[in-house]
Amino acid sequence: MREEEKKRSSQNSSFKRFFKKRWAFPAIYIASAAIILSAVLWYQNSNSAKNQDNFDYNATDVPGKNINEPAVEVNRQMENFIMPVKEADSPVIQRHFYDMNGKAEEQEAALVFYNNSYHQNTGVDIGIESGETFDVIAALSGTVTKVTEDALLGNVIEIEHDKGIVTQYQSVTEMNVEVGDQVKQGQVLAKAGESMFDEEAGVHVHFEIRKDGVPVNPHNYFQKPLSSLLEETTSDNAKATDEEKAEEDKASDEESAEDDKSFEEDQSSEENAGDEEKDAGEKDKTEDDTKQDKKESADA
């Protein structure tokens, strides 16, 4: 018993000596904080591992999954229109676009004679110096919307690009695309051929750019992006709207001026009528006075 008491007393004295040291309590606090922090981190990691099992990595909102879809439209608008001729050393413009604001000699050169009549050229006719056939390529990426065999025009391929903008390729043979095909810029569409409509052009491709069905001059857009045509069209629409508004304002002003003029004329007519009535009244009064004077003279 005495030995046990001695051991207990020695242990108590050891604890007392330990707690009397200056670093004892700070060491205890630091160790406790480390234990608590370790427990918190372990709890957070365990919850994070559970939440990861609930994520659907095949969902459409995963970054990068659909990145190629919008990029197609952006790249298409940034592409520059190119000549629809592949590997041609010296493409030749055989007939230019008929420009309503062009010079007389240029307009004359842009007329197509067919069936005893002259027709305005709605595109450009492109050939090569050798006069041989060549590969016709897509001037811009897009979707094929028309592939038509046409003896008069020499077959037609139409590609839609964006917001009503299409390119047409006429006088072609050996067409190797179908309606619905997605084509890239520079992809071979057909071979250059001939047409009954413009036999003088020989072997060529008739190339057109159309916006909402209206042909525009391809020369103005070669080596320019599709966005330039969209911006120009937007500007033209805004200008047309301003002109229409100005015409409406002018018509409104003219109508107001006519109304004012009519009002003034009516008012003037009323004043004249009043003056005439006044004059008539004074005249009647004068006649009455004269009659009265004659009557008084007779009585006298």
Side-chain angles (χ1 to χ4, degrees):
M1 294 293 292
R2 291 179 179 179
E3 292 180 357
E4 291 179 358
E5 290 178 356
K6 289 179 180 181
K7 289 181 180 179
R8 290 176 182 175
S9 60
S10 62
Q11 288 178 354
N12 293 332
S13 61
S14 298
F15 281 119
K16 290 179 181 179
R17 287 196 301 271
F18 175 77
F19 285 113
K20 287 181 179 180
K21 294 180 179 180
R22 292 182 179 180
W23 52 266
F25 287 104
I28 293 173
Y29 293 150
I30 293 173
S32 300
I35 293 172
I36 294 172
L37 182 61
S38 299
V40 171
L41 292 176
W42 175 84
Y43 179 76
Q44 289 180 347
N45 291 334
S46 62
N47 286 339
S48 176
K50 291 179 181 179
N51 292 334
Q52 287 180 356
D53 295 336
N54 296 327
F55 289 144
D56 181 11
Y57 292 104
N58 295 323
T60 56
D61 58 353
V62 175
K65 184 173 188 274
N66 295 326
I67 193 170
N68 291 330
E69 294 181 2
V72 172
E73 297 297 331
V74 173
N75 291 337
R76 184 179 300 174
Q77 291 192 11
M78 299 204 43
E79 289 178 349
N80 291 339
F81 283 99
I82 62 174
M83 296 274 284
V85 180
K86 182 178 180 181
E87 299 177 357
D89 296 333
S90 54
V92 178
I93 304 296
Q94 298 175 338
R95 199 180 307 279
H96 292 269
F97 178 85
Y98 186 91
D99 190 351
M100 299 298 293
N101 298 320
K103 298 179 181 179
E105 58 271 18
E106 293 176 350
Q107 291 180 340
E108 184 178 353
L111 293 174
V112 180
F113 185 75
Y114 173 74
N115 197 20
N116 295 325
S117 300
Y118 286 97
H119 304 269
Q120 299 173 358
N121 195 25
T122 55
V124 290
D125 298 337
I126 308 172
I128 58 176
E129 289 185 352
S130 65
E132 297 178 354
T133 187
F134 52 89
D135 289 331
V136 176
I137 62 175
L140 206 68
S141 300
T143 305
V144 179
T145 55
K146 180 188 293 185
V147 179
T148 306
E149 294 183 358
D150 191 317
L152 178 62
L153 300 177
N155 303 333
V156 180
I157 296 175
E158 184 175 278
I159 299 176
E160 184 177 14
H161 304 288
D162 189 16
K163 297 180 180 178
I165 297 178
V166 302
T167 52
Q168 279 193 4
Y169 310 78
Q170 301 176 12
S171 303
V172 294
T173 61
E174 300 181 24
M175 298 178 291
N176 53 17
V177 291
E178 297 179 353
V179 174
D181 287 351
Q182 297 288 332
V183 298
K184 295 182 178 180
Q185 186 181 51
Q187 181 177 333
V188 176
L189 306 175
K191 290 279 189 180
E194 297 178 297
S195 70
M196 295 173 58
F197 181 72
D198 192 0
E199 294 180 346
E200 293 181 358
V203 177
H204 71 287
V205 57
H206 175 83
F207 176 69
E208 294 187 7
I209 300 176
R210 291 176 174 263
K211 175 66 175 75
D212 295 330
V214 179
V216 298
N217 192 346
H219 282 295
N220 295 339
Y221 301 101
F222 283 136
Q223 301 307 320
K224 290 184 180 180
L226 176 64
S227 57
S228 64
L229 179 55
L230 295 173
E231 291 172 359
E232 182 174 327
T233 304
T234 302
S235 177
D236 292 341
N237 291 338
K239 183 178 179 180
T241 302
D242 293 339
E243 291 177 353
E244 291 177 358
K245 185 176 180 181
E247 291 179 357
E248 290 177 356
D249 293 339
K250 183 178 179 181
S252 178
D253 293 339
E254 292 177 352
E255 185 177 354
S256 298
E258 291 178 357
D259 292 340
D260 293 339
K261 185 177 180 181
S262 299
F263 176 76
E264 291 176 357
E265 291 177 351
D266 294 340
Q267 193 173 26
S268 177
S269 299
E270 292 176 358
E271 291 177 354
N272 292 333
D275 293 339
E276 290 176 357
E277 291 178 357
K278 184 178 180 181
D279 293 340
E282 291 178 353
K283 185 177 180 181
D284 293 339
K285 184 178 180 182
T286 302
E287 291 177 353
D288 293 339
D289 292 340
T290 302
K291 290 180 179 180
Q292 184 68 25
D293 292 338
K294 288 182 178 180
K295 182 177 181 183
E296 288 177 355
S297 297
D299 293 338

